[in-house]
């Protein structure tokens, strides 16, 4: 079963159709299953191919196309969607939905969905200000449909005024808010949550370093989950390619030492501390200020132990709930349990790094949450965003 949140994006025919590609791409990076429906006229502006490539799903255009599997597409997509976005939304699709017309794949699917529908209109200013369009928008708003206001500026037709598609980042933010804020419990209001994510680096010379494999995704999802539940969140992040989550204080660090210092500075004021970072355990003994030149001999480097940050946190724990991660390749539960004791943790989230379809760069994870008093919660394979939610459910239930 696909446990990811699903956003169905309806692309209707306007010059801004290409901007919907940025929306698809950003939602995918947020671990969302994206399904695209294009109207016939949208395909005159952009072909389905880039939408297909970015969403990694087939793009639907024709209601009567030969089905790939036995399912009634407009009904299955309507049911699968957690949020339905129409971007760009033309006067035509707004008018159709406002008046109950369902005559193509997009309009029938919107009609059949119970998901929240968000329109991001884009059209010529005069069209947008036309009282008929405005009346349709008002009617839809009254019925619970949501709108992302178009921006003002010079339009594709040369006119100036309101009608440009809202910035794709605003559209993505609205969709993410609708997906997660709506049904999330606000059980972390007033709490401070400190999270570490990503790898740390240890430099060997000005151009080389050693690091650990980590994309930082798990930690970023934890930060977003804590934020959505109402916490004040500080995310201490090693180098990653991820966008800083909105509404979270992100402090970027590179080395083990920087991560340790930043976390310790914020430790006393935190209620929950989760260390999902893949911290480098060793650093080079003698850093070379100059680039090490290659020679004919083998290169032998000496590494010395660096801080075990989580252990230091455990030793200095007062009121905090301390959660660690354990990346294990064998005896997962046994080894993770040892780390609970050694680092004075309240919980540890253990995962088997030898599993090929979860962990590291994957969007999914399969973990076991262990508590200091012996509980073991085996979770199914699920999206990392969902794992983040389960971790907070477990921590908060135990208080
Ligand atoms: N950790 C840390 N500082 C380190 C190493 C690990 O704070 N130098 C934290 C990680 O963020 C994680 C937990 O300790 O929350 C366990 O990390 P892991 O790499 O699984 O274990 P190690 O303690 O390094 O033990 P080993 O590598 O021997 O399994």
């Amino acid at each position: 079963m696909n446990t990811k949140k699903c956003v169905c994006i309806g692309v209707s025919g306007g010059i801004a159709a290409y901007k919907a590609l940025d929306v698809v791409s950003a939602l995918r990076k947020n671990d969302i299953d994206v399904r695209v429906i294009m109207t016939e006229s949208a395909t005159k502006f952009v072909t389905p191919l880039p939408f297909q490539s970015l969403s990694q799903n087939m793009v639907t255009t024709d209601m009567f196309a030969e089905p790939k599997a036995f399912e009634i597409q407009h009904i299955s997509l309507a049911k699968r969607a957690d949020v339905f976005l129409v971007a760009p939304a033309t006067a035509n699709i707004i008018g159709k939905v406002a008046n109950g017309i369902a005559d193509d794949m997009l309009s029938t699917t919107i009609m059949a969905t119970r998901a929240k529908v968000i329109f991001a209109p884009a059209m010529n200013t005069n069209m947008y200000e036309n009282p008929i369009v405005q009346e349709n928008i008002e009617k839809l708003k009254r019925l619970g449909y949501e709108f992302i206001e178009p921006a003002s500026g010079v339009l594709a037709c040369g006119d100036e005024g309101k009608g440009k598609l809202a910035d794709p980042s605003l559209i993505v933010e609205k969709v993410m808010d609708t997906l997660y804020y709506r049904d999330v419990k606000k059980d972390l209001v007033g709490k401070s949550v400190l999270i570490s994510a990503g790898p740390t680096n240890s430099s060997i010379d000005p151009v080389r370093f050693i690091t650990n494999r980590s994309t930082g995704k798990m930690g970023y999802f934890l930060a977003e989950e804590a934020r959505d539940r109402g916490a004040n969140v500080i995310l201490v992040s090693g180098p990653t390619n991820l966008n800083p989550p909105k509404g979270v204080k992100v402090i970027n660090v590179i080395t083990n030492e920087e991560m340790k210092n930043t976390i310790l500075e914020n430790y006393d004021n935190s209620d929950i501390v989760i260390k999902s970072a893949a911290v480098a355990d060793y650093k080079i003994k003698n850093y070379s200020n100059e680039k090490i030149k290659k020679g004919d001999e083998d290169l032998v480097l000496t590494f010395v132990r660096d801080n075990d940050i989580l252990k230091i946190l455990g030793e200095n724990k007062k009121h905090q709930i301390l959660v660690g991660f354990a990346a294990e390749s064998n005896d997962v539960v046994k080894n993770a349990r040892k780390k609970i004791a050694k680092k004075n943790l309240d919980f540890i989230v253990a995962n088997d790094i030898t599993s090929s379809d979860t962990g590291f760069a994957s969007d999914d994870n399969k973990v076991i949450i262990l508590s200091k008093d012996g509980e073991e919660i085996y979770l199914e394979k699920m999206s990392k965003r969902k794992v983040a939610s389960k971790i907070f459910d477990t921590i908060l239930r135990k208080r």
Side-chain angles (χ1 to χ4, degrees), residues 256 275-277 279-281 307-310 324-328 339 343:
N256 173 317
K275 278 227 75 239
S276 65
V279 185
D281 283 315
N307 309 299
D308 187 331
I309 306 175
L310 191 56
F325 271 71
E328 304 295 346
K339 286 178 191 171
K343 304 193 187 193

Side-chain angles (χ1 to χ4, degrees), residues 229-240:
R229 288 176 175 227
N232 293 318
V233 186
I234 298 179
L235 175 63
V236 181
S237 175
T240 73

Side-chain angles (χ1 to χ4, degrees), residues 196-198 200 212 256 259 263 274-282 305-313 323-329 335-336 339 342-343 345 347-349 351:
S196 76
T200 61
N212 284 347
N256 173 317
M259 184 172 274
I263 290 179
I274 309 183
K275 278 227 75 239
S276 65
V279 185
D281 283 315
Y282 293 89
R305 278 297 309 268
D306 211 340
N307 309 299
D308 187 331
I309 306 175
L310 191 56
K311 190 155 177 280
I312 300 171
L313 296 180
V323 185
F325 271 71
E328 304 295 346
S329 55
N335 285 330
K339 286 178 191 171
K342 187 171 146 206
K343 304 193 187 193
L345 308 180
F347 298 92
I348 198 153
V349 182
N351 65 334

